[in-house]
Amino acid sequence: QVQLVESGGGLVQPGASLKLSCAASGLTFSDYALGWFRQAPGNDREFVATIARGGIRQDYADFAKGRFTITRENAKNSVYLQINDLKPEDTAVYYCAATQTYKFGAILAGMYDVWGQGTQVTVSS
């Protein structure tokens, strides 16, 4: 059974940092490119970042450049999203996703085969 499980979300104050984690099981992790998306209430799911199978290439949404960092650790079947200087507009459910079809550059939700259940990030003072 292929599964992605996110963790690390929570309620934080503006300016804080969070590191989201996503643990994969039931798949050959190194065969998949990985991505993070987010969805705020009333909004469509939006792309945040993606990392290639080998981890060499990362792509970010414009809003994510400079504050968000995606990394992966194939030995632990895990992908991470570091978010610095959190802002209220970062409040959303964050989802990780995996694609075997695309080696890199998977910036659209439709490119992904497997999704996690999401982890809530709330930024509020």
Side-chain angles (χ1 to χ4, degrees), residues 60-80:
Y60 295 92
D62 285 344
F63 72 81
K65 293 175 182 176
R67 293 194 300 120
F68 292 66
T69 303
I70 186 171
T71 57
R72 65 187 294 163
E73 194 169 358
N74 286 354
K76 293 187 176 181
N77 284 6
S78 293
V79 59
Y80 309 98

Side-chain angles (χ1 to χ4, degrees), residues 13-99:
Q13 293 189 338
S17 297
L18 274 179
K19 187 173 185 178
L20 307 182
S21 300
C22 174
S25 59
L27 52 79
T28 304
F29 191 71
S30 59
D31 287 348
Y32 286 75
L34 303 159
W36 286 95
F37 289 74
R38 69 183 187 182
Q39 187 167 18
N43 290 358
D44 294 334
R45 190 169 298 190
E46 66 175 345
F47 167 72
V48 177
T50 182
I51 188 165
R53 290 180 185 178
I56 299 298
R57 172 173 166 171
Q58 302 90 42
D59 295 280
Y60 295 92
D62 285 344
F63 72 81
K65 293 175 182 176
R67 293 194 300 120
F68 292 66
T69 303
I70 186 171
T71 57
R72 65 187 294 163
E73 194 169 358
N74 286 354
K76 293 187 176 181
N77 284 6
S78 293
V79 59
Y80 309 98
L81 185 69
Q82 176 73 40
I83 314 173
N84 297 327
D85 189 23
L86 277 153
K87 305 178 185 302
E89 53 263 39
D90 294 321
T91 296
V93 178
Y94 284 72
Y95 299 89
C96 70
T99 174

